[in-house]
Amino acid sequence: MKNIILTLALLIPFSGFAQEFPNLKSTRQDEDYSFLKNDTIKDNWYKTMKFLPLNASKNTYLSFGGDIRFQYFYAKNENWGDGDQDKDGYVLSRYLFHSDLHVGKYFRAFVQLQSSVVGGRIDPSPVDANPLEVHQAFADFNFINEKSKKLILRAGRQELSYGSQRLVALRDGPNNRQSFDGLKLMTGKENMSADFFFTHYVVARDGIFDDKSNEDRQFWGSYLVFNKVPLLKNIDVYYLGYKRAKANFDDATGKEIRHSLGTRIWGKSGNWRYDGEAVYQFGDVADKNISAWTASINGGYRFNTVKFHPEIGFKTELISGDKTKGDSKLQTFNPLFPRGAYFGLASVIGPSNLIDIHPSISFEITKNIDWIIDYDMFWRYSGNDGIYAPNTSLIYPGNTTTKKKIGNQLETEIVWEPNPFLYFRLEATWFQAKDYIEASGMGKNIFFTGITTQIRF
C-alpha cells in the first residue's frame, strides 16, 4: 500500500505534461524526442529530462526516462492445487530506468537498467525475480535514417518484439522482461521494413549485474513487414531460427535446432479488425525430426454508434502436439519467446499442443476506462502429448488419460489510463479444471486476482 501511495504522489506533477508530449511506448527505445529541438513547448524540468542538449546545435542530446510498476496477486489453488500453496498472495515490483544518447544523425547509445523484486512468493522463478541488471545496452549506427528509408545496425543487448508477439515478445506481463545479446540490421523504405538479427538469449540470474547471454540458446532470423497492401492491408513474412542445447519435451530430450516459417495478415477495415497467422516448424530434437505448426485467427467488430462502444472479439488457435509416442517424429510446437502471460496474467498454460476457442467482449466505459471480459476453452490437440508452460517446460505428461479437455477460463479486467503516464488494472481469473487436469494432478479449480499500478515517465 505504501508503494501505491508513493506512486500516486509521484504522478501528480506529470499530469500537466500529458497534452504536450506524445504517448509513451512500452518499447522505450522507440521513443523519439528530437522534435523538442525546435519546439514551442515551455521549458520545464520534464522537457529537460526528455531532451538535454549537449552542444550548441542541439544535434547531440541526452534523454532519460523510466517505468515503475507495483502488482499484488493472489491465487487460490495455484497449479491446480499441486505443490506448495501461498495463502496470502505476493507483491511484484519492477523498476526500469534508461538513458538515451544521440550524437548527430549517425550514432546513438541506449542503456536501460531493470530491477525486478518479489515479496511473499514461495520459490520465485527468474521470470519474477532479478534484483538489478543491465537489461539493454546497445549502440545504433545510422547509415541511413530518414522518414522514407532507413538502414541501421544495432549492436549489443536489446529487446526483440515482432508482430502480435506470439513467438517473439517483450514478456512485459511477467515481472522480468527478456532481452538478447547480438546484432540486428534494420532496414526499410516507404511501405516496407525488414529486420535481420543474430542473438543469444540473456539468462536471468539471482545476483546483481550477473545476467549473461547463453551460448546454449541461439536465436536468429529475419522479419519483413509490408504495409498498405491492396485488399489485405498488412502482411508479415518471417523466418526464425533457434538452437537450444537442452530441450525437454514429453517425447524428446536433447539438442534442439528448430526453424520457423510464418506469415501474418492483419489490419482494420471500418469497424472490423483482423489478425491471422500461420507458422510451420521443422528441424530436429536429438534424433527426432520436427514437423510442427500453428494457425490463429483473431478478429473483432466494434459498435461505434452504441453506448460504451462494445467490441465483440473472437480468437481461435490450433497448435500442434506430438501424435505418436516413441516414433521418429516430434510434432510439438515450440512458441520460442512468447508473451509470458499468453492466456492472461494467470499464465496457467502455454501455446503448445492446444486447441483454444476464445470469445470476448469489451466496453469503453469512459474515454480512459475499459472493461474486458473473455472466456477461453482449452483442449489438447493431441491426446498423446502433454501440456506445457509458456517456456515449453512440461506441466503434465500426455499419458495420464486419453481425454483432451483441459478446462475453461473466465477472465475479466478493468483498465484505467487517466493520462499517458498512468496505468491501473484490476483483474480476476477463474479456471475450471476439466477431464485431463483432473486425471493428471489434484485437479482443483484456480482463482486468480490482482491489481496493478504503473507509472511511465
Side-chain angles (χ1 to χ4, degrees):
M1 181 59 68
K2 291 181 179 179
N3 288 335
I4 294 175
I5 294 173
L6 176 61
T7 302
L8 291 172
L10 288 171
L11 290 170
I12 294 174
F14 290 91
S15 58
F17 306 137
Q19 301 301 320
E20 298 179 336
F21 288 87
N23 288 340
L24 304 174
K25 298 181 179 180
S26 181
T27 49
R28 304 304 300 271
Q29 62 272 19
D30 292 334
E31 295 174 7
D32 182 5
Y33 293 96
S34 60
F35 73 95
L36 292 173
K37 176 181 178 180
N38 300 309
D39 77 286
T40 58
I41 297 175
K42 182 180 178 181
D43 287 343
N44 54 57
W45 66 268
Y46 187 73
K47 174 184 174 182
T48 302
M49 183 176 70
K50 306 313 289 184
F51 187 84
L52 177 62
L54 299 180
N55 63 356
S57 65
K58 299 184 180 181
N59 289 327
T60 298
Y61 67 92
L62 273 168
S63 182
F64 301 95
D67 184 309
I68 302 173
R69 188 177 76 178
F70 301 115
Q71 296 178 299
Y72 169 77
F73 290 123
Y74 168 78
K76 182 178 181 181
N77 300 325
E78 192 171 13
N79 300 319
W80 298 287
D82 292 335
D84 296 332
Q85 299 295 308
D86 187 344
K87 297 181 180 180
D88 301 318
Y90 54 92
V91 175
L92 303 178
S93 304
R94 186 179 73 192
Y95 307 86
L96 288 163
F97 300 102
H98 69 264
S99 62
D100 191 2
L101 171 66
H102 292 255
V103 181
K105 294 176 58 178
Y106 302 106
F107 181 79
R108 174 200 186 194
F110 183 91
V111 177
Q112 186 178 45
L113 300 181
Q114 176 176 231
S115 175
S116 303
V117 183
V118 183
R121 183 161 176 75
I122 299 174
D123 191 25
S125 73
V127 173
D128 297 319
N130 197 5
L132 181 61
E133 295 299 337
V134 177
H135 178 59
Q136 295 193 85
F138 62 78
D140 280 356
F141 302 90
N142 304 324
F143 302 106
I144 303 173
N145 192 2
E146 302 172 0
K147 289 185 178 181
S148 60
K149 55 185 177 180
K150 67 177 181 180
L151 179 62
I152 303 171
L153 177 64
R154 178 167 294 174
R157 182 165 296 182
Q158 56 195 280
E159 294 180 330
L160 296 177
S161 175
Y162 290 109
S164 59
Q165 299 193 54
R166 297 184 71 231
L167 300 180
V168 189
L170 304 173
R171 201 177 66 190
D172 187 58
N175 206 32
N176 187 39
R177 289 167 67 142
Q178 62 190 359
S179 57
F180 303 80
D181 285 341
L183 296 172
K184 178 169 66 173
L185 183 66
M186 299 172 282
T187 182
K189 184 177 181 180
E190 296 178 347
N191 298 322
M192 178 267 191
S193 64
D195 284 5
F196 305 89
F197 61 90
F198 182 88
T199 66
H200 291 85
Y201 180 68
V202 176
V203 177
R205 305 176 188 272
D206 58 4
I208 295 177
F209 296 127
D210 63 347
D211 286 5
K212 297 179 180 179
S213 55
N214 188 344
E215 295 294 328
D216 293 336
R217 297 183 70 179
Q218 296 180 0
F219 185 50
W220 66 93
S222 57
Y223 201 100
L224 286 74
V225 180
F226 302 90
N227 303 118
K228 297 184 179 179
V229 178
L231 298 178
L232 300 178
K233 302 291 186 182
N234 307 285
I235 300 177
D236 299 358
V237 180
Y238 56 88
Y239 159 76
L240 304 173
Y242 179 49
K243 184 175 78 171
R244 178 168 51 164
K246 298 178 182 179
N248 186 19
F249 297 95
D250 195 7
D251 192 35
T253 301
K255 182 179 179 181
E256 176 183 13
I257 298 179
R258 187 179 294 252
H259 308 278
S260 302
L261 295 174
T263 186
R264 174 179 174 236
I265 298 172
W266 54 281
K268 292 183 178 181
S269 180
N271 294 352
W272 291 94
R273 61 169 177 83
Y274 55 91
D275 190 329
E277 190 165 6
V279 184
Y280 177 72
Q281 295 182 333
F282 60 96
D284 55 75
V285 175
D287 58 348
K288 292 181 180 289
N289 295 322
I290 296 171
S291 179
W293 57 272
T294 183
S296 170
I297 297 175
N298 185 359
Y301 183 85
R302 181 181 174 91
F303 296 88
N304 288 319
T305 59
V306 178
K307 188 177 181 180
F308 302 131
H309 309 300
E311 180 177 304
I312 297 175
F314 179 79
K315 180 179 180 180
T316 185
E317 294 180 290
L318 299 177
I319 308 171
S320 68
D322 194 51
K323 293 180 180 179
T324 305
K325 191 88 170 179
D327 66 356
S328 62
K329 294 182 179 181
L330 180 70
Q331 288 93 10
T332 307
F333 184 80
N334 186 339
L336 303 179
F337 301 97
R339 304 185 300 271
Y342 198 90
F343 298 105
L345 278 178
S347 194
V348 178
I349 53 178
S352 300
N353 189 35
L354 209 62
I355 299 175
D356 167 43
I357 298 177
H358 184 178
S360 65
I361 186 168
S362 63
F363 303 92
E364 186 180 290
I365 305 302
T366 69
K367 183 180 180 180
N368 299 318
I369 300 177
D370 294 315
W371 178 27
I372 304 101
I373 304 171
D374 54 48
Y375 188 70
D376 260 317
M377 294 167 278
F378 300 108
W379 294 264
R380 287 189 294 164
Y381 180 82
S382 170
N384 292 318
D385 200 355
I387 61 171
Y388 299 81
N391 65 353
T392 70
S393 62
L394 186 65
I395 299 175
Y396 293 130
N399 59 3
T400 58
T401 180
T402 58
K403 295 181 179 179
K404 295 185 176 182
K405 182 66 176 181
I406 298 171
N408 304 316
Q409 177 177 287
L410 177 64
E411 182 177 28
T412 183
E413 62 183 56
I414 297 175
V415 177
W416 178 34
E417 297 184 75
N419 58 52
F421 308 104
L422 264 174
Y423 177 89
F424 299 96
R425 183 179 66 245
L426 176 65
E427 63 194 282
T429 300
W430 176 71
F431 191 102
Q432 180 186 28
K434 300 299 284 186
D435 301 339
Y436 173 71
I437 298 297
E438 292 173 340
S440 301
M442 295 292 290
K444 295 182 179 181
N445 297 335
I446 297 173
F447 175 73
F448 177 90
T449 188
I451 184 170
T452 298
T453 65
Q454 186 171 4
I455 173 176
R456 296 190 183 115
F457 54 91

